[in-house]
Amino acid sequence: MTSISKTLLLSAAVCAVAGTAQAQSSAANICGDPSTEWATGSSETADLSFVPFPMDAEVNASGEIRALRAFRVSAPTFARIEARVDGFVGDPTLTLLNADGLQIDFDDDSGGALNSRLEVELQPGTYCAAVAGFGTETFSAALRIGRMEHDAITEGSVVVDDPTCAPTTEAILVSEGDTSAMLEAGPFQNVASAGSAPFYRFTLAETTPITLTAENPAADPVLRLFNNDGMEIAMNDDFDGLNSRIDLDQGLAAGTYCVSITALGDDTVPIAFGLEAYDEASFLSALYDRGDTAPPLDGSYPVEDLGTLDSLLRRDLRITPTATWISFDMPEDGLALISAVSLTDGDPLVRLFDEFGREQGSNDDSGDDLNALLPAVIGRGTYLLAVTDLGADDGTMRTRLVIERFVPAR
């Protein structure tokens, strides 16, 4: 067992253990995170469906710090959620979570410049807007949670002209007649460039949960979904790397809809567009593959158990575009120091979760290199660690993972 005596690191760890336990005991734990705050200070006043003004907050965020603000929706509502930085410091990202802490939508840079913006129709429930960023430098961001009729604080993307799809807009028909029935037999797929096939149209005869995808990192596709009145009801960019995805798990009502596909990158390369019936298992598996949410420890998803962290655990990993998941047991409260060192000039990223799926911390590019170093003050229990590499899209990366435990000297 590693022992550190008379160091600021250990003193800070001991204080943080006590402080964390006290904070967790009084936190509401909305969206699976004890640090979440209501966007307006209380659940009674945080109902987006009826607030007269948008809900605003100033938050601090970075690649290691995620600021969460919770809000409620009591009736179907078109929401606009934005994160804006003033000046030249900070690149905010926005993640929309449900009450269980699962990702519903994500955006980076759709607000124009480096700002983020999500526009989505929400059904009744509790949600959280999470603001994070890239790198270790902490920045301040303005967060606005509002309805579409409220004033925006971002300009919107200036890279791509805002597309619209009216009933008269020429579009590729996904199917003749009811697409709901077609999806029972299998997904619809088409491969074409954004320049040659910018719109698709389909009709649902009944409420149907669906998933839309647009894939090709070279194109950096953006997906938008419009109703038959030409109103945008969902949008996504960069759900999985530079690929886009929209999941309507609560169902899309009967009607006619249009899908727009634009490219922030090369609009001449082929984009694989898919429309399929929403599948919960597939959706969750995609989250686990990216390291965004911790998988269950029931054997349904591969997780390597390293055992008890008595003093030090070490493993050399082969990292692919799919996250590698590791679990370990912390025998008592203390400080775990997690290092991920690339052996192949990669860029490793680590994210730590407890056994209930609550994120405990993450790190990318600690210090002066691209390696990851995450100190985490955690309690006794089982923890899961997602190890990914931002360069793994170009092939397999090799990373050395080391987890150390520090306890007070006795």
Side-chain angles (χ1 to χ4, degrees), residues 63-149:
E64 302 173 2
I65 301 173
R66 185 176 67 162
L68 289 98
R69 295 296 183 269
F71 62 96
R72 297 187 299 110
V73 172
S74 58
T77 301
F78 286 101
R80 180 192 293 121
I81 306 171
E82 304 165 276
R84 186 196 70 203
V85 291
D86 296 316
F88 301 98
V89 178
D91 181 3
T93 64
L94 263 179
T95 304
L96 181 64
L97 309 172
N98 67 11
D100 296 323
L102 295 179
Q103 178 176 310
I104 298 173
D105 209 342
F106 174 84
D107 180 70
D108 176 34
D109 299 349
S110 291
L114 297 179
N115 301 315
S116 295
R117 180 167 171 165
L118 287 171
E119 295 179 354
V120 60
E121 182 180 17
L122 297 177
Q123 299 301 315
T126 299
Y127 301 89
C128 287
V131 181
F134 297 98
T136 59
E137 186 174 8
T138 301
F139 59 86
S140 177
L143 171 66
R144 170 163 290 187
I145 303 170
R147 296 191 300 273
M148 293 297 290
E149 62 264 30

Side-chain angles (χ1 to χ4, degrees), residues 152-174:
I153 60 172
T154 62
E155 297 179 355
S157 175
V158 297
V159 179
V160 176
D161 292 335
D162 291 338
T164 57
C165 188
T168 57
T169 301
E170 184 177 351
I172 296 173
L173 283 179
V174 171

